[in-house]
Amino acid sequence: MLAHMNAEALEKSVASGEAHFWSRSRAEIWHKGATSGNVLTIREMRIDCDQDAVWLSVEVAGHGAACHTGRKSCFYRKIEVDEDDRIVLRATGDAPLFDPHDVYTK
Amino acid sequence: MLAHMNAEALEKSVASGEAHFWSRSRAEIWHKGATSGNVLTIREMRIDCDQDAVWLSVEVAGHGAACHTGRKSCFYRKIEVDEDDRIVLRATGDAPLFDPHDVYTK
C-alpha cells in the first residue's frame, strides 16, 4: 500500500512501532487497522535519498490484509497491453482475505 | 525509488516499456537513465486499489543503480531510535555502484 504521512503520523509511527498515516480525505491521523484490526507492526523503516518518502516493512495483524478491498496488497492488478494495443488491467489472483462490507460498516 | 508520473509519463512508460516520470523540479518528462545510462526496463507494472499509484518491477541497466547517489536503492538508510530515544538514520550497507560526480556533470 501507499499512503501519506505528515510529521505527526511519522512521529506516532516511530514512537508506537505501528503505522500511522495522514488521511487527506478525512483530514485526520489514521491509525491503520483501528477499524479493520489489520494493524501494521513495523519491522523496519527506511527513508529515501531526498528524505520525502518512507518505506515500511511490516507484519500485518488481523486478516493479514493491508488493502481496504480485503486483499493483502493494494497492487492486485497488472497494467498490460492486449493484442489490440489496448491498455487493460488484469487480476494477479490476489484474492480478498476479508469482506469489506463486514469490516467497514460506515 | 519513488517518483511522480503524470498521464504522459505513464503513457510513455507503457508504450516504451521503460520507466518515464514527471520531474516536478524541472517540469519536464524524465526518461529515467537518459543521463546515467541506468534505464529501468519494466518487467511488471501494477496499479493500486484507488488507481493513483503505480508499482514497477524493473531491470536496471548500466550500473544497476536506481538512486542518484549511485546506490541500487534510494532507501539505503534505516530510521531507528537510539539508546537515548533519539531518532537516528543508520546506513543499511548499500554501497554506491557509481560516483555521481562522474555521471551527472551539471
Side-chain angles (χ1 to χ4, degrees), chain A residues 85-99:
Chain A
D85 266 351
R86 289 175 309 197
I87 293 174
V88 291
L89 301 186
R90 292 209 169 101
T92 58
D94 189 1
L97 301 173
F98 67 85
D99 183 342

Side-chain angles (χ1 to χ4, degrees), chain A residues 46-68:
Chain A
R46 293 190 182 194
I47 196 159
D48 77 340
C49 48
D50 61 354
Q51 303 196 44
D52 62 4
V54 169
W55 171 92
L56 305 181
S57 171
V58 300
E59 189 169 303
V60 189
H63 310 88
C67 184
H68 78 288

